[in-house]
Amino acid sequence: MAPSTQKQWTTTGKGSFHDTLKLNSSAPVPSVGDNEVLVRFHGASLNYRDLIIPAGKYPFAQRDGVVPLSDGAGVVSAIGSKVSLFKEGDKVVTLFNQSHLAGPIDAKALRSGVGGVVDGAAQQYGVYDQYGLVRAPENLDFLEASTLSCAGLTAWNALYGVGGKVLKAGDWVLTQGTGGVSVFAVQFAKAAGARVIATTSSKEKGERLKQLGADHVINYREDTNWGETAKKLTGGLGVDHIIEVGGPNTLNNSLAAVKLEGVITIIGFLGGFKAESQPTMLDALTRICHVRGVLVGSRQQFEEMIRSVEANDIHPVVDKEVFSFENIKDAYQYASDQKHFGKVCIKIE
């Protein structure tokens, strides 16, 4: 039996996360409806999105007072009378957009983001529709599984989400930095037999990328024209899939690196919204490439990704610093300072 109260963080107002994150040590544990599942969370992970929501910079739907963190893993504690997908004791992971079950995302799904509109994993217990959860991979622990909802699924969608352009053995993939999406993309690409060019800013992180399987590593601080360098590494043909996380400050290099009819998937804007040289839509024409934006992926894609994670025994990269639930603000600061490699995780007791 679940208790009647729990510990729960919420994000209220706009400003520094130090001020907007509030801990309630006696929040009510929600009851389950007929089609709902009560999850006892044991692990959660941070995304860049979590850092910009308090600052008012997140461009999609959000609700004041929401429980943050889209990514959570735990155990089914109770189920509604009409739930058929899960039973008590099952290990589950949250689906980022609760209404994005299959196919292209629509307006309804766009407004169903966990940790933005729907209460997220920064709590001990959460209630979700049964279709808003997926079975956790059998080969992962709770912290590892908690990294899949956003970063893992986004990387999977980037590589497999365009019909006729899905990743295949021998393709070239370019990743930027060592955040969650980029590291997942390296792992998924190598599991598929692709070749990876990774960019980073430090020798130490470069060595870790090579350990994950990256075939070439470029230090973007030392080589400001890394896009041209990446294209040369492919024999001049260009890169098939580019995981674009930087935004305007890196897009020009991505355009320089991409193959004819290659795909640039825009995932984030770590470098901000503006740059001295802003690419335009016409660059997709002059480079003859596909440029697409994604907001994570569907439940169907999530299940496909989990099958690959299990079949290839892929283990997400969890940063060495794991934070306690009570010290969630320290986790935010650590991620904000970009001290991490892979995913910043929170253990929920």
Side-chain angles (χ1 to χ4, degrees), residues 84-96:
S84 60
L85 297 180
F86 303 103
K87 64 183 184 303
E88 290 184 23
D90 285 347
K91 290 176 62 177
V92 294
V93 184
T94 51
L95 175 67
F96 183 94

Side-chain angles (χ1 to χ4, degrees), residues 312-325:
N312 295 286
D313 195 23
I314 295 172
H315 286 263
V317 178
V318 174
D319 189 86
K320 63 182 184 299
E321 294 291 337
V322 174
F323 295 84
S324 68
F325 184 76

